[in-house]
Amino acid sequence: MPRTSTKKNVKRYGKSKEEKSGARSKSKSFHKLRGMKDILFDEYKYWELVINKADKLAQVYGFKRIETPILESAGMYERSTGKETDIVSKEMYSFTDKNGEKVALRPEATPSLVRAYIEHGMFNLPQPVKMLWIGPLFRHEKPQSGRLRQHTQFDLEMFGEEGPVADAQLILVGYNFFRELQVNIQIQINSIGCKSCRGEFTGKLLAFYKERGKRSKLCDDCKKRLVKNPLRLLDCKEDKCAEIRAGAPQIVDSLCDDCRNHFVKVLEYLDELDVPYNLNPFLVRGLDYYNRTVFEFCPEEDESESGTRQSSLGGGGRYDGLVESMGGRPTPSCGFGIGIERVILKIKEKNIPLKKDTENYIFLAQLGEQAKRKAFALFEDLRRAGFNIRQAFTKDSLRAQLEEADRIGAKFSLILGQKEIIDGTILIRDMESGIQEIIDYKKIISVIEKKLANGEK
Ligand SMILES: [Zn+2]
Ligand SMILES: [Zn+2]
């Protein structure tokens, strides 16, 4: 049933520009920190939609939800995410607490989940252990990047499964998540091999970049990468680096037999499941712990914006050595993270309509002091009887109350006035047709039940 009252009012509460705050230096009010965001009423419905989708979908595939603390030991991220990564070396919110311990606001989810897996002896559980995790992450990103410094991620991790079926299942869940939210994505996928075959490839890559004249054309970051992390030369976003990269050797050509077989099987599963993907030989992901399969969910580019590579909505991969390197038993694992804020932005950009509330709201309106008092009690009776009852007791005008009923999409309104109280009746108004009936006050519940049942035909 179409209702016109739900207007697009996303912007009603205003998008405050952090930058504005400097101008009002005399003002005594406080402002949220740069890169932080409030989620107001109108936006919250998007959050509910996305988080419910993540939650329901993950549970169908056997992932169970867990939570971990926001604050962890900083050393944990240095060891797992990697000391040399931008995340740890530049972006991590870390500080020394009152006991002199170096702690950090978690910049990513996987290390905490690995820690929890080891600390709670989850290798004793039937494997694989499949975790669903949703929570905030903190990174002190450069202000000009327009990225949030606190953002929320939906994470799935699968511990103790070496087979390519695990990688394929993760990608499938991610694919279904976006598809069911009507966000068009492309899956980029690559294999970065294992320690042994990657070592060989890195040698070839270095030899390529050391050829005459190439090094001097690279950006400053890439010059450092040549020494610290050559693999990352492949995913530099700078145009000049991308140009040189086009002729670089491809890692898939250097995979050992085991890594190649694993990758081929992942792709076969995806073919079988009709999950489309693009092989991207330059996808490496910026973290130290990945091996073999890496993948990203990238927004499908509109023709109008082609040429500008949009940042991915999420990604992940396999990390077979991470549990062991963090002090656990050897446990092949894989996982992904999807940025909730970016997904919501996409849903809003594309104007994807939210599914209408299918709740059967009943609105209770009152007119006059005596009716208001009686309506208070009636409201509680109806709420306890299990109805989705709503009210606007602070409003006196009947018109304003019915507007509110319309705004929330109520099916029926009950209207109680002075005359109805004297007669022992109440009015029931069908909000769709506007037709009103007088009913016996004592029969309210049975009448509503009958009307709701009829509406569900
Ligand atoms: Zn290998
Ligand atoms: Zn570069």
Side-chain angles (χ1 to χ4, degrees):
M1 271 165 262
R3 245 173 228 287
T4 48
S5 56
T6 20
K7 285 190 210 90
K8 244 188 76 193
N9 46 9
V10 176
K11 281 192 180 153
R12 191 194 298 165
Y13 300 94
K15 240 187 224 167
S16 66
K17 278 260 184 302
E18 289 91 336
E19 280 69 27
K20 266 198 317 202
S21 58
R24 284 174 284 156
S25 54
K26 289 270 155 59
S27 144
K28 277 182 189 156
S29 63
F30 294 100
H31 300 276
K32 60 191 159 46
L33 297 174
R34 190 167 214 170
M36 304 287 174
K37 182 177 149 59
D38 297 314
I39 306 164
L40 302 185
F41 311 122
D42 282 339
E43 188 169 333
Y44 214 84
K45 59 181 183 238
Y46 291 94
W47 282 79
E48 283 176 331
L49 172 83
V50 170
I51 285 171
N52 282 340
K53 174 57 73 189
D55 198 23
K56 283 196 182 126
L57 201 54
Q59 307 226 17
V60 167
Y61 291 91
F63 293 82
K64 287 200 226 153
R65 192 156 176 181
I66 80 161
E67 297 213 8
T68 55
I70 287 171
L71 204 60
E72 298 261 13
S73 137
M76 185 177 90
Y77 298 105
E78 289 172 4
R79 173 120 64 99
S80 54
T81 312
K83 248 185 181 165
E84 305 294 345
T85 56
D86 287 355
I87 294 176
V88 172
S89 66
K90 295 181 191 161
E91 295 163 1
M92 193 158 75
Y93 279 87
S94 53
F95 59 95
T96 306
D97 75 4
K98 292 190 163 106
N99 298 327
E101 196 169 342
K102 213 179 151 205
V103 294
L105 295 180
R106 60 187 178 207
E108 59 150 351
T110 308
S112 303
L113 296 168
V114 173
R115 179 198 50 68
Y117 176 85
I118 299 168
E119 190 166 346
H120 301 286
M122 290 193 217
F123 46 79
N124 290 319
L125 300 173
Q127 307 290 303
V129 172
K130 295 162 99 176
M131 295 179 185
L132 157 65
W133 181 98
I134 299 170
L137 300 176
F138 301 84
R139 291 184 196 174
H140 201 273
E141 306 250 15
K142 287 180 201 145
Q144 63 265 33
S145 71
R147 288 193 178 173
L148 289 171
R149 289 178 174 176
Q150 174 181 336
H151 83 279
T152 313
Q153 235 180 42
F154 152 40
D155 249 70
L156 294 185
E157 312 283 346
M158 205 187 300
F159 293 94
E161 177 56 63
E162 190 177 19
V165 66
D167 316 46
Q169 188 178 68
L170 279 172
I171 296 169
L172 173 71
V173 181
Y175 174 69
N176 286 342
F177 171 76
F178 287 109
R179 207 176 53 162
E180 287 168 27
L181 288 171
Q182 300 177 58
V183 176
N184 295 329
I185 51 136
Q186 282 184 333
I187 295 165
Q188 308 280 340
I189 188 168
N190 192 21
S191 172
I192 55 169
C194 62
K195 255 187 196 141
S196 69
C197 57
R198 197 181 326 150
E200 199 190 305
F201 172 72
T202 310
K204 280 188 202 168
L205 196 64
L206 283 173
F208 169 80
Y209 276 102
K210 278 178 184 154
E211 284 167 22
R212 262 184 89 81
K214 283 188 186 133
R215 192 181 173 280
S216 58
K217 286 185 196 144
L218 294 173
C219 73
D220 288 345
D221 281 338
C222 279
K223 280 177 188 146
K224 283 180 209 149
R225 286 173 186 144
L226 265 176
V227 185
K228 285 183 178 168
N229 190 353
L231 214 54
R232 292 222 56 204
L233 285 158
L234 295 176
D235 74 349
C236 181
K237 311 279 184 286
E238 298 277 330
D239 287 343
K240 50 185 180 180
C241 301
E243 229 169 83
I244 302 171
R245 170 185 78 188
Q250 299 198 351
I251 192 161
V252 282
D253 298 326
S254 297
L255 295 179
C256 66
D257 287 347
D258 286 349
C259 286
R260 180 190 310 279
N261 282 337
H262 192 276
F263 191 43
V264 167
K265 285 200 180 118
V266 173
L267 301 181
E268 281 173 1
Y269 275 118
L270 295 178
D271 290 336
E272 195 77 24
L273 292 161
D274 269 332
V275 175
Y277 55 83
N278 292 329
L279 292 172
N280 179 349
F282 304 124
L283 182 69
V284 296
R285 309 277 300 154
L287 304 174
D288 283 3
Y289 51 69
Y290 283 120
N291 68 308
R292 290 194 170 166
T293 320
V294 288
F295 55 90
E296 274 183 7
F297 303 107
C298 299
E300 199 159 70
E301 284 161 24
D302 292 344
E303 274 164 35
S304 56
E305 42 187 21
S306 64
T308 55
R309 188 179 180 264
Q310 296 190 48
S311 50
S312 77
L313 300 171
R318 189 160 266 289
Y319 48 90
D320 292 333
L322 184 59
V323 177
E324 194 180 4
S325 79
M326 286 178 70
R329 301 177 182 185
T331 310
S333 309
C334 50
F336 73 61
I338 289 175
I340 305 265
E341 284 86 352
R342 286 191 203 167
V343 174
I344 289 173
L345 219 58
K346 280 287 153 204
I347 296 175
K348 283 183 174 173
E349 254 173 41
K350 304 255 147 113
N351 264 327
I352 297 164
L354 288 188
K355 222 161 106 195
K356 272 221 73 82
D357 265 330
T358 48
E359 317 263 7
N360 289 317
Y361 286 125
I362 293 159
F363 191 89
L364 179 54
Q366 35 68 38
L367 202 61
E369 193 49 46
Q370 212 187 337
K372 186 176 284 202
R373 240 177 291 142
K374 198 163 179 188
F376 253 96
L378 177 61
F379 181 87
E380 287 307 311
D381 290 343
L382 293 173
R383 190 183 62 77
R384 280 189 208 114
F387 294 110
N388 260 329
I389 183 94
R390 294 290 183 271
Q391 48 75 27
F393 291 150
T394 52
K395 292 188 166 88
D396 291 326
S397 123
L398 184 60
R399 207 178 128 209
Q401 293 180 67
L402 291 179
E403 274 169 8
E404 174 73 8
D406 210 36
R407 199 186 62 79
I408 63 163
K411 254 192 155 63
F412 301 103
S413 286
L414 294 165
I415 304 166
L416 191 63
Q418 194 64 28
K419 183 174 186 306
E420 286 75 27
I421 290 178
I422 293 164
D423 296 348
T425 59
I426 193 164
L427 277 175
I428 184 162
R429 177 189 174 97
D430 183 314
M431 295 302 289
E432 192 72 29
S433 64
I435 296 169
Q436 297 188 162
E437 286 172 58
I438 300 166
I439 57 171
D440 187 341
Y441 190 87
K442 292 192 199 88
K443 291 184 181 156
I444 295 174
I445 289 180
S446 63
V447 171
I448 300 174
E449 272 170 353
K450 208 182 276 173
K451 282 185 180 290
L452 289 180
N454 282 343
E456 275 163 15
K457 266 187 286 191

